[in-house]
Amino acid sequence: LKKLKEDKHLNLKNQVSERSAYRPELDGLRAIAVIFIIVNHINKDLLPSSYLGVDIFFIISGYVITSSISRQQNSNFLEFITSFYARRIRRIIPLLLIFVIFSSLLICLFDGNPANSLKTGISSLMGISNIYLYISSNDYFAHEANLNPFTHTWSLGVEEQFYIIYPLLAWFSGFTNNDKNRTSKFFYIILFLSSISLVLFITFYNLNK
């Protein structure tokens, strides 16, 4: 009973910390990113490189998640990871599920061959729509993609995969501990992995462009 009370108190403390750390300027950046993305889908020539609005979302997400993790006070790994994933599931899955169900019903009414769209929608619920679209060789800018309402969930898939890896990296690197050098150690780990990612991007881009 004492343990349950302590866990409840810790969860409440973490929630208060999350609310007190709200940064309204990030909503402004999100609004700018949304405008970029809308313009890009209307006419990509109106604002060159406006697709970078997606990258802005990724950067904001990385900042928010890192800030959230740094404020968490968890005594063990299981408590840390379950708390993290519970918050992410509550934030993403309910609305995504409603969107997938509603859009699936509509696409069945207007598309004579909805199989690809439905498979994309199902894969989005598992956080792998980007992988499915890659394997099935669906070009994001192809004409058939216009009839698939779930094509845009590729970015959500990337973000959900980031949520799987990043907290594990943060915990096992010691970032979640009260080590005075935790930030610098975590920074160098992220810098190393980012360098590898950049090299792989340049390599595969040149092979597939």
Side-chain angles (χ1 to χ4, degrees):
L1 183 60
K2 182 179 179 181
K3 175 64 175 174
L4 289 174
K5 289 182 178 179
E6 290 176 351
D7 290 344
K8 184 178 180 180
H9 175 73
L10 188 59
N11 288 333
L12 288 173
K13 191 173 182 179
N14 286 335
Q15 291 173 12
V16 171
S17 177
E18 294 257 350
R19 288 194 295 269
S20 63
Y22 170 68
R23 301 290 297 270
E25 62 271 23
L26 293 182
D27 287 338
L29 287 176
R30 289 190 181 98
I32 293 174
V34 169
I35 292 172
F36 283 175
I37 294 170
I38 291 174
V39 170
N40 181 263
H41 282 85
I42 293 175
N43 187 341
K44 62 180 183 295
D45 295 326
L46 290 176
L47 187 62
S49 300
S50 54
Y51 59 85
L52 292 176
V54 176
D55 295 326
I56 295 175
F57 269 111
F58 285 155
I59 292 171
I60 293 173
S61 179
Y63 172 81
V64 170
I65 292 301
T66 303
S67 299
S68 175
I69 289 175
S70 68
R71 293 191 302 271
Q72 295 305 306
Q73 299 180 19
N74 303 107
S75 58
N76 58 71
F77 173 73
L78 182 60
E79 181 182 295
F80 164 74
I81 205 67
T82 53
S83 175
F84 178 87
Y85 289 144
R87 291 195 303 274
R88 302 280 76 76
I89 290 173
R90 287 197 300 267
R91 184 180 181 88
I92 296 174
I93 297 302
L95 289 177
L96 178 61
L97 182 61
I98 294 172
F99 167 71
V100 169
I101 293 174
F102 182 73
S103 298
S104 295
L105 293 174
L106 289 179
I107 201 67
C108 288
L109 294 176
F110 296 102
D111 189 350
N113 185 23
N116 183 56
S117 296
L118 296 177
K119 290 178 181 178
T120 308
I122 294 172
S123 63
S124 72
L125 292 175
M126 298 183 287
I128 57 172
S129 59
N130 59 321
I131 297 175
Y132 169 75
L133 290 169
Y134 175 78
I135 293 175
S136 59
S137 299
N138 282 293
D139 187 348
Y140 183 81
F141 298 101
H143 176 70
E144 59 269 18
N146 293 330
L147 295 177
N148 188 343
F150 307 114
T151 304
H152 311 303
T153 61
W154 72 266
S155 60
L156 185 60
V158 172
E159 192 163 344
E160 290 178 358
Q161 291 150 32
F162 168 79
Y163 290 156
I164 292 174
I165 298 173
Y166 198 68
L168 299 177
L169 186 62
W171 178 271
F172 290 110
S173 68
F175 182 69
T176 56
N177 299 331
N178 292 322
D179 186 350
K180 63 179 181 180
N181 296 319
R182 65 174 188 155
T183 302
S184 59
K185 288 191 295 185
F186 193 51
F187 169 78
Y188 287 119
I189 291 173
I190 296 299
L191 180 62
F192 173 72
L193 294 176
S194 298
S195 299
I196 294 176
S197 176
L198 178 60
V199 171
L200 291 174
F201 166 75
I202 294 173
T203 301
F204 286 106
Y205 179 80
N206 289 329
L207 290 174
N208 294 282
K209 68 179 180 179

